[in-house]
Amino acid sequence: MNASKAQRTLSAFVPTTRQWAPVSSIYAPNPVTRQFPPPSRFSLITQNLDGLSSRPIARARKLLDNLLLDHLFRKSQVPDIIFLQEVTRGVRKSILDDPKIRDAFLVTDVEDETSFDGVPFANMTLLSRQRFSTDPESQKERDKVQGGEKFMLGPVSRVTLPSKYGRCALSVDIVSPYAPATACRLVNVHLDSLWDTLHHRIEQVKILSDLLREPGCGGGLIVGDFNAISPKDHTLLKENGLVDAWVALKGEQGLGGATWGVGVHRDDGLGRGRLDKVAMLGVEAKDMEILRPGTITVPKPGGESDSVPCSDHYGLKLDFTV
């Protein structure tokens, strides 16, 4: 099945104008010539923000602060790529107003709110300004691309999926200076929820796997909330020729890796599960860990307070090479 795509953009915040502006993805230099070009290593974090629970803006702000402060604590760079699911309109505005995000990241869906029309939430993708070219007209940026320090940007699009809930995939192409004719595709997903939509998830994974095999695409990653709640869900990646990054690094036995339902009693029969995944084609996983979402403090009448989880999902962090 051919996927229907709607063009989107990545934007960078411009301090002199105090506004976000679209980033061009036109520049395509001659390949950087090296006999044995080194693989480029990237860090990616995916996090479902739990958009339907109370206090979504406060919880999302704390989650993002935790992600960025954790990297400062480890004395490492901010994440190169952040995939967010269940972003509400209010959370989108909070993200775009955040000085730390403005300073460090390129962000999708700045241009308008059409991705949020008719749905309670959508996906957003953030890319580090340190790792991706923001201005192809700048000689300084060109030098960094030619030196292999930065990747170039290709098309950004929303991919329509068969869905009960209006879900779609958010795709961004990144391009190595060593192979400018071939893109690595980063696909941010939130597949359909619950038992009665398994048939949609089966079709969704097939469509998404085909995206990584389109002409000019050398593979990439499909990352996010796969809502993998049934045994059949956990066979879909292999059936579509994709590598499950957690399985590749941790092995088939004793998988663990639950990202949802951890430490929570439910009455609907859904237990803890590995709902969030990273599917790979043509890239190599190097390291992977589960990120606890933390909590926020919510005041109660009488001067007491509750600690509320920032999300019902744990996040995932992946280091990979292209």
Side-chain angles (χ1 to χ4, degrees), residues 1-320:
M1 175 182 292
N2 293 326
S4 173
K5 300 179 183 180
Q7 184 176 352
R8 306 300 292 164
T9 64
L10 280 157
S11 297
F13 189 75
V14 182
T16 54
T17 64
R18 303 293 299 167
Q19 292 183 332
W20 290 88
V23 173
S24 174
S25 58
I26 298 172
Y27 177 47
N30 294 324
V32 176
T33 303
R34 290 190 185 178
Q35 186 176 3
F36 300 105
S40 296
R41 184 164 179 147
F42 293 94
S43 62
L44 181 150
I45 287 175
T46 180
Q47 178 68 62
N48 183 313
L49 298 180
D50 187 13
L52 294 181
S53 294
S54 63
R55 298 179 179 264
I57 296 174
R59 290 186 292 101
R61 186 179 294 123
K62 180 66 177 295
L63 267 171
L64 288 171
D65 283 346
N66 287 347
L67 294 181
L68 301 183
L69 290 174
D70 179 64
H71 281 258
L72 291 175
F73 177 76
R74 298 186 191 193
K75 297 182 179 179
S76 60
Q77 292 183 337
V78 299
D80 299 317
I81 304 155
I82 298 178
F83 282 3
L84 302 175
Q85 301 90 44
E86 296 199 18
V87 180
T88 65
R89 288 177 187 261
V91 170
R92 169 188 175 272
K93 183 179 185 306
S94 176
I95 289 171
L96 299 183
D97 290 343
D98 189 320
K100 296 183 295 298
I101 300 297
R102 289 178 169 187
D103 181 61
F105 290 98
L106 311 172
V107 183
T108 62
D109 296 283
V110 175
E111 64 269 36
D112 56 46
E113 295 185 352
T114 57
S115 299
F116 298 81
D117 290 345
V119 291
F121 43 65
N123 300 359
M124 289 181 70
T125 293
L126 288 66
L127 301 182
S128 168
R129 295 174 67 135
Q130 294 182 359
R131 299 301 309 277
F132 300 97
S133 178
T134 59
D135 183 3
E137 302 303 319
S138 162
Q139 187 59 51
K140 182 179 179 180
E141 288 283 289
R142 288 172 178 258
D143 289 344
K144 289 184 176 181
V145 170
Q146 289 285 6
E149 298 175 51
K150 289 192 173 188
F151 269 42
M152 299 169 289
L153 297 170
V156 181
S157 59
R158 285 208 175 260
V159 182
T160 301
L161 299 173
S163 173
K164 177 180 178 179
Y165 301 105
R167 305 279 166 83
C168 62
L170 178 56
S171 170
V172 179
D173 286 0
I174 62 172
V175 183
S176 167
Y178 304 114
T182 305
C184 175
R185 186 156 290 164
L186 309 175
V187 186
N188 180 352
V189 299
H190 184 194
L191 304 189
D192 269 26
S193 311
L194 303 177
W195 299 99
D196 65 333
T197 60
L198 173 59
H199 63 292
H200 281 321
R201 293 196 297 277
I202 292 172
E203 194 171 2
Q204 288 167 353
V205 174
K206 174 63 169 64
I207 291 170
L208 295 169
S209 68
D210 289 345
L211 283 180
L212 301 187
R213 297 180 171 93
E214 290 183 338
C217 179
L221 299 169
I222 305 167
V223 183
D225 183 356
F226 280 72
N227 272 304
I229 60 173
S230 73
K232 176 63 176 177
D233 283 299
H234 293 289
T235 70
L236 296 180
L237 301 191
K238 188 173 183 179
E239 289 174 2
N240 285 278
L242 303 172
V243 176
D244 186 320
W246 186 266
V247 174
L249 290 169
K250 310 296 182 180
E252 292 279 1
Q253 302 300 319
L255 283 177
T259 60
W260 185 84
V262 180
V264 177
H265 173 73
R266 298 180 62 90
D267 297 324
D268 57 9
L270 291 174
R272 55 187 288 167
R274 200 163 63 89
L275 273 62
D276 303 84
K277 295 190 177 190
V278 175
M280 308 184 298
L281 181 68
V283 303
E284 183 178 359
K286 292 296 185 181
D287 190 29
M288 194 170 183
E289 63 181 297
I290 294 173
L291 305 176
R292 294 178 179 272
T295 61
I296 62 168
T297 301
V298 179
K300 294 171 59 178
E304 298 180 353
S305 61
D306 280 336
S307 290
V308 176
C310 290
S311 176
D312 58 348
H313 284 252
Y314 283 18
L316 292 173
K317 178 180 181 292
L318 174 77
D319 288 347
F320 67 97

